[in-house]
Amino acid sequence: GRNETHILDDIYKLNLKTLVMSQFGRLTKPLAEFAIAYNADSIYIFGGISPTGLERDVYKLSLTCDCQEGYVGDACADPICYSIPSTNQSVCSGHGSCVEIDTCVCDPGYSGDLCDGVQCFGVDENSLFVCSNHGQCVGPNNCSCQEGYGLQNCSAIMCFNHTTYDSLVCSSHGTCENINECNCSEGYFNSDCSLATCYGILGNESNVCSSHGTCQDKD
């Protein structure tokens, strides 16, 4: 819509440097001149300059858009998402971009219509499968794993603080079959496979290595 305002100040109080003179003509009153000038958002009509040089009236036409519902801004180019303009920092919960009316594109790690939910590695926080069903999604791509599970997405079981993919699991002498359950290679014993045998005698026996040494590794 257009809002016409009668400006009472004289012409010299306008910032003429920001205006572009676009047209000159004659009013019906003898010796009276008028000019039309414009800038980015307004049109100024300067009229009725008298022979004595005194200014008469100045009119301003403000050029503003009457936006459709769901859009704001001078050019009606900014959509609104759930009552918040796209230019507001809090739009889409501060975790996404408002690209169309009530349409948020969430930043990585966030989900939901308002981008107010979090995801862990592409899975929504309230999904049964989040964090491999062995932990809680406490932040974007941040799983808090249950005891006995590891890796970023809690997908690996652990044996004595090492995951199944760790070369040090089960003292490097066995496989982690279940939480804190190692299947030791031949010649190794103990729950974490840390105990070797030397010539058939456990490394913690008093007579290992003929009682004159320590069993460092199998045989």
Side-chain angles (χ1 to χ4, degrees), residues 44-207:
Y44 296 88
I45 302 175
F46 312 136
I49 299 179
S50 69
T52 61
L54 297 177
E55 294 75 37
R56 299 289 178 83
D57 292 332
V58 181
Y59 290 89
K60 176 184 177 183
L61 298 177
S62 297
L63 304 181
T64 58
C65 292
D66 186 11
C67 300
Q68 298 176 355
E69 185 178 358
Y71 289 92
V72 294
D74 293 339
C76 299
D78 303 322
I80 298 174
C81 281
Y82 306 100
S83 302
I84 301 177
S86 60
T87 54
N88 191 304
Q89 291 184 345
S90 64
V91 72
C92 302
S93 305
H95 302 304
S97 301
C98 177
V99 296
E100 292 291 344
I101 298 174
D102 291 343
T103 304
C104 289
V105 175
C106 300
D107 295 335
Y110 292 91
S111 63
D113 292 340
L114 298 174
C115 300
D116 55 351
V118 297
Q119 288 184 331
C120 280
F121 308 100
V123 183
D124 289 342
E125 61 181 332
N126 56 356
S127 170
L128 292 176
F129 304 103
V130 73
C131 301
S132 307
N133 199 27
H134 298 305
Q136 183 179 1
C137 183
V138 296
N141 296 333
N142 184 10
C143 287
S144 177
C145 300
Q146 298 171 358
E147 187 176 358
Y149 292 91
L151 294 186
Q152 288 184 323
N153 62 351
C154 308
S155 62
I157 58 175
M158 300 185 69
C159 281
F160 307 101
N161 299 319
H162 296 284
T163 70
T164 53
Y165 303 103
D166 191 335
S167 61
L168 298 178
V169 70
C170 300
S171 305
S172 302
H173 300 305
T175 57
C176 183
E177 302 291 337
N178 209 336
I179 297 174
N180 292 337
E181 291 183 9
C182 288
N183 182 14
C184 299
S185 302
E186 184 179 0
Y188 294 92
F189 298 90
N190 229 358
S191 58
D192 61 352
C193 307
S194 60
L195 186 62
T197 59
C198 283
Y199 304 100
I201 302 175
L202 289 174
N204 59 351
E205 295 289 342
S206 60
N207 62 336

